[in-house]
């Protein structure tokens, strides 16, 4: 849902979960300068502008049933997305990276978004309840592979981190690499309760 919300932000579309009150009753916090009513104000302003998303997660999917229901919206809204029965995350990244997702009026040109992923504490990811070591290992491998595939299809890089210092180094690496690649960079930080 977070990457889909980042897509909506970059394309200047109506918010989906940007105002959502999460599982713990925490209200999402958004920048008032990034929205107009129930719509986002896209940061994409120029032809051939480079934009970036850094998706940091532990890789765990909390609401699997809702996620399957959301496939309809992902496939309807994000250009080129065909989820099938699998996880839509790599397909959303692919659509953001390979398609012109800029809002109307920006002009023609390649206005795509590069998606980087950071897996934080993936090695401590465990299934709920009683599980075997093999089940937990499979969950961690699945989460890692999902984030690797998402970064690859999004034209970005995958980073795996275990500590605060590694996390900080990953963010610095992405910023250093992308700012060196393009002066006109935009970073999205959609708020979603965790």
């Amino acid at each position: 849902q977070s990457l889909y919300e980042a897509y909506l932000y970059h394309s200047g579309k109506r918010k989906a979960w940007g105002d959502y009150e999460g599982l713990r009753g925490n209200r999402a916090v958004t920048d008032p300068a990034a929205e107009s009513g129930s719509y986002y104000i896209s940061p994409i302003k120029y032809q051939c502008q480079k934009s970036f998303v850094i998706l940091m997660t532990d890789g765990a999917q909390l609401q699997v049933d809702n996620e399957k229901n959301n496939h309809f919206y992902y496939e309807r809204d994000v250009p080129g997305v065909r989820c099938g029965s699998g996880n839509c995350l790599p397909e959303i990244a692919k659509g953001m990276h390979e398609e012109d997702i800029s809002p109307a009026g920006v002009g023609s040109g390649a206005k795509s978004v590069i998606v980087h992923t950071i897996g934080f504490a993936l090695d401590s990811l465990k299934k709920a309840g009683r599980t075997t070591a093999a089940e937990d290992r499979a969950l961690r491998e699945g989460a890692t592979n999902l984030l690797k595939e998402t970064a690859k299809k999004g034209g970005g890089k995958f980073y795996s981190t275990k500590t605060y210092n590694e996390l900080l180094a990953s963010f610095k690496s992405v910023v250093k690499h992308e700012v060196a690649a393009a002066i006109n960079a935009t970073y999205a930080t959609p708020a979603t309760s965790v």
Side-chain angles (χ1 to χ4, degrees), residues 1-64:
Q1 294 172 344
S2 295
L3 190 58
Y4 175 65
E5 198 75 24
Y7 160 75
L8 296 173
Y9 168 65
H10 277 89
S11 58
K13 297 195 178 201
R14 186 181 196 88
K15 294 183 280 185
W17 296 284
D19 291 326
Y20 178 68
E21 196 166 305
L23 297 172
R24 296 182 186 98
N26 299 327
R27 185 129 176 100
V29 178
T30 56
D31 180 358
E35 56 190 35
S36 176
S38 59
Y39 287 83
Y40 286 112
I41 299 171
S42 174
I44 300 175
K45 305 293 182 202
Y46 307 104
Q47 293 180 0
C48 300
Q49 176 179 329
K50 295 287 185 187
S51 296
F52 311 93
V53 170
I54 303 172
L55 177 67
M56 185 193 78
T57 179
D58 66 0
Q61 235 181 321
L62 296 178
Q63 298 180 345
V64 176

Side-chain angles (χ1 to χ4, degrees), residues 20-156:
Y20 178 68
E21 196 166 305
L23 297 172
R24 296 182 186 98
N26 299 327
R27 185 129 176 100
V29 178
T30 56
D31 180 358
E35 56 190 35
S36 176
S38 59
Y39 287 83
Y40 286 112
I41 299 171
S42 174
I44 300 175
K45 305 293 182 202
Y46 307 104
Q47 293 180 0
C48 300
Q49 176 179 329
K50 295 287 185 187
S51 296
F52 311 93
V53 170
I54 303 172
L55 177 67
M56 185 193 78
T57 179
D58 66 0
Q61 235 181 321
L62 296 178
Q63 298 180 345
V64 176
D65 291 337
N66 285 347
E67 189 65 21
K68 290 178 181 173
N69 293 334
N70 292 333
H71 284 200
F72 167 79
Y73 299 105
Y74 303 154
E75 291 178 352
R76 179 193 69 188
D77 297 342
V78 185
V81 170
R82 296 295 167 261
C83 299
S85 62
N87 190 302
C88 292
L89 199 61
E91 293 303 312
I92 294 171
K94 180 180 178 185
M96 291 176 73
H97 181 62
E98 293 183 355
E99 304 289 336
D100 179 354
I101 67 166
S102 62
V106 175
S108 63
K111 291 168 285 294
S112 64
V113 176
I114 296 171
V115 179
H116 298 277
T117 59
I118 299 176
F120 184 68
L122 293 176
D123 59 334
S124 61
L125 190 59
K126 294 182 179 213
K127 290 181 97 173
R130 291 184 164 185
T131 60
T132 66
E135 289 174 318
D136 291 338
R137 186 172 44 257
L139 179 66
R140 289 189 295 273
E141 288 173 2
T144 299
N145 290 338
L146 176 66
L147 294 176
K148 283 181 179 179
E149 182 182 6
T150 300
K152 182 178 179 182
K153 287 190 173 186

